[in-house]
Amino acid sequence: MRAAGRIAAAIEVLGDVTARHRPVADALKDWGLSHRFAGSGDRAAIGNLVYDALRWRRSSAFRAGEDTPRALTLATLRFRWGVGVADLEAMGEERFGPGPLSEAERAALAVDRLGEAPADVVADIPDWLEEAFEANFADEWIEEAEALAARAPVDLRVNTLKSDRARVLKALSRHGATATPISPVGVRLPARAGWERAPNILREEIYQRGHVEVQDEASQVAALLLFARPGEQVLDMCAGAGGKTLAIAAHMENRGQIHATDADAGQLAPIYERLKRAGVRNVQVHGARSDLSALKGRMDRVLVDAPCSGSGVWRRRPETKWRLSPEALARRVEEQAACLDEARSFVRPGGYVVYVTCSVLPQENEAQVDDFLSRAPDFAPVSAGEAWEELFGVDGPKPWSADGMSLTMSPAATGTDGFFVAVLERMAD
């Protein structure tokens, strides 16, 4: 497909996403099934443009003067991809292009008015979240919000049960692989620009043989901050597909026992195949709604990777930024509190709960921990910052810490997804 046809297709897909509130992946799949002439490269390129239009939805709508799929797409091409007005005009008139520019479109695309926009528009976040971002990131909140709108790299975790980072870096050198700056077991493939397609890691031999897993560096760091030791008893309460479970198993060198469970059976389903591929032998999977009473009071460490808004992973799922509502956030906060209260019962005296979210919102993070500590006088916070320095040193990227104990990773500060980590110790009887 020519660029003009891809632009027209992106407008069509974006219209489907916004009208039906669908995930981009589903809309792209359906579009591909009904347009068999489009190759995988075309579908990936169209997806790039759709995702980018959603990343910068508010600023693009301001620049274009309207919030329609066509306006968002054209503004993204002009102001984010650097396509000239004359080129857009020419592509619009091609046979399978998006159609000629109107006079209003030419005028809007000719001059960048973003400097006149309110701060929350520049930051590309829902207006009702401005206060939360400013509370968490102070004077740098716009920079942090803008970083959450950028494309993310592909981060991989080296499975040290089967390989090492030097070997993985060599195998992926043709993709521009580099070592991650924080995680000692991370490998990063740079984000691509424009139409360029990201490599399909799932087709690589080192992935199929279990030498690497796709996992953002922040998620790797969160698993390391659990400080799980070989031989310990660990509960991963909200294991999902098992990314952190696999990381913890590698840190524990397949010794000890990890109990992995999740309330959502569908989320947990992929863990079995992933454990097999990774060569993990010290994980016992407990299905959704399993009776875990035998584990109570016995765990050395409990990981609570709580359900959350997902605001920290907007780089990867930009459509979710615009679906989040105050009501949905309030429901997540309630679920998180319930998860923490449940986790409390599994920890032995002297053990730890590590509370993690992929969120940058204080309601889900510091405030949640404060509320838990007010209900759980037998728990006390441990400095995650000191743990960070012990693991990663003092000279590298620094996370945020609003309370001096917990920490928040973010794209602008640490070059990662947005992740919050708090370590809570159950005091000995």
Side-chain angles (χ1 to χ4, degrees):
M1 294 176 66
R2 292 172 59 84
R6 289 175 171 180
I7 294 170
I11 294 171
E12 182 180 344
V13 173
L14 188 57
D16 185 23
V17 170
T18 55
R20 299 170 62 188
H21 304 287
R22 307 183 68 201
V24 174
D26 292 349
L28 285 168
K29 180 179 179 181
D30 285 353
W31 186 90
L33 290 172
S34 60
H35 297 79
R36 297 286 187 177
F37 59 83
S40 59
D42 291 317
R43 295 194 300 273
I46 294 163
N48 285 349
L49 184 50
V50 172
Y51 279 115
D52 279 0
L54 290 166
R55 294 179 197 286
W56 298 297
R57 179 172 184 168
R58 290 201 73 195
S59 61
S60 291
F62 183 90
R63 284 163 152 160
E66 57 179 337
D67 185 5
T68 65
R70 177 181 170 90
L72 297 177
T73 303
L74 293 175
T76 299
L77 289 162
R78 176 70 189 95
F79 298 110
R80 299 295 182 175
W81 288 29
V83 180
V85 176
D87 291 331
L88 289 173
E89 185 97 58
M91 287 187 287
E93 295 177 353
E94 288 189 27
R95 181 181 176 190
F96 297 108
L101 299 183
S102 67
E103 287 298 328
E105 288 172 336
R106 288 191 199 93
L109 297 173
V111 179
D112 189 355
R113 297 174 45 247
L114 190 60
E116 305 168 14
D120 53 292
V121 172
V122 175
D124 269 299
I125 61 171
D127 55 3
W128 63 275
L129 286 177
E130 178 177 344
E131 183 178 346
F133 268 77
E134 190 168 6
N136 226 26
F137 299 119
D139 292 341
E140 298 176 47
W141 74 270
I142 294 177
E143 178 187 354
E144 288 288 357
E146 287 179 316
L148 279 166
R151 288 192 191 179
V154 176
D155 284 355
L156 309 171
R157 179 185 58 80
V158 177
N159 178 13
T160 53
L161 298 174
K162 288 190 170 185
S163 190
D164 58 63
R165 184 152 71 173
R167 189 183 310 175
V168 172
L169 286 170
K170 182 178 180 180
L172 296 176
S173 59
R174 69 188 185 283
H175 297 307
T178 59
T180 50
I182 304 169
S183 169
V185 291
V187 169
R188 175 163 293 166
L189 309 182
R192 272 38 181 189
W195 301 113
E196 190 177 1
R197 183 180 186 178
N200 188 346
I201 293 301
L202 274 58
R203 293 182 178 178
E204 298 284 339
E205 182 182 2
I206 59 168
Y207 176 84
Q208 294 175 353
R209 296 180 64 179
H211 291 193
V212 296
E213 289 287 338
V214 178
Q215 185 176 26
D216 183 78
E217 186 180 23
S219 182
Q220 298 177 38
V221 167
L224 287 164
L225 287 169
L226 186 68
F227 267 96
R229 306 291 204 273
E232 288 187 331
Q233 293 288 315
V234 175
L235 172 61
D236 187 353
M237 256 185 58
C238 308
K244 293 183 186 65
T245 303
L246 295 169
I248 297 164
H251 305 330
M252 293 174 65
E253 301 171 0
N254 255 341
R255 294 152 55 195
Q257 185 77 58
I258 302 171
H259 301 271
T261 190
D262 197 281
D264 187 330
Q267 290 285 335
L268 193 62
I271 195 172
Y272 300 96
E273 180 58 35
R274 295 181 76 184
L275 292 170
K276 180 180 178 182
R277 188 177 66 248
V280 170
R281 300 187 301 274
N282 67 331
V283 172
Q284 181 177 349
V285 180
H286 302 266
R289 297 176 296 280
S290 293
D291 180 7
L292 302 179
S293 57
L295 306 181
K296 291 193 173 182
R298 294 179 47 207
M299 297 295 103
D300 296 296
R301 303 171 197 272
V302 176
L303 175 64
V304 182
D305 185 4
C308 69
S309 65
S311 56
V313 294
W314 281 343
R315 298 189 302 174
R316 304 180 191 281
R317 302 171 194 157
E319 71 266 38
T320 63
K321 175 164 45 173
W322 312 114
R323 294 179 190 160
L324 184 62
S325 67
E327 295 75 20
L329 179 58
R331 288 194 296 271
R332 287 305 192 195
V333 169
E334 290 180 0
E335 293 167 0
Q336 292 153 8
C339 287
L340 277 169
D341 288 341
E342 184 180 4
R344 175 184 177 185
S345 66
F346 291 102
V347 185
R348 66 166 177 80
Y352 300 88
V353 167
V354 176
Y355 176 67
V356 174
T357 72
C358 55
S359 172
V360 296
L361 304 180
Q363 300 97 312
E364 302 182 277
N365 297 339
E366 292 88 354
Q368 190 67 262
V369 171
D370 289 343
D371 288 346
F372 171 74
L373 292 174
S374 72
R375 300 190 303 272
D378 53 334
F379 278 80
V382 176
S383 175
E386 291 182 6
W388 177 285
E389 291 184 357
E390 180 178 340
L391 282 171
F392 312 119
V394 297
D395 298 326
K398 299 289 192 301
W400 288 84
S401 183
D403 57 10
M405 299 298 284
S406 59
L407 57 85
T408 300
M409 293 169 275
S410 64
T414 54
T416 66
D417 283 345
F419 260 72
F420 173 83
V421 180
V423 182
L424 309 169
E425 181 180 7
R426 182 181 175 190
M427 309 310 291
D429 296 336

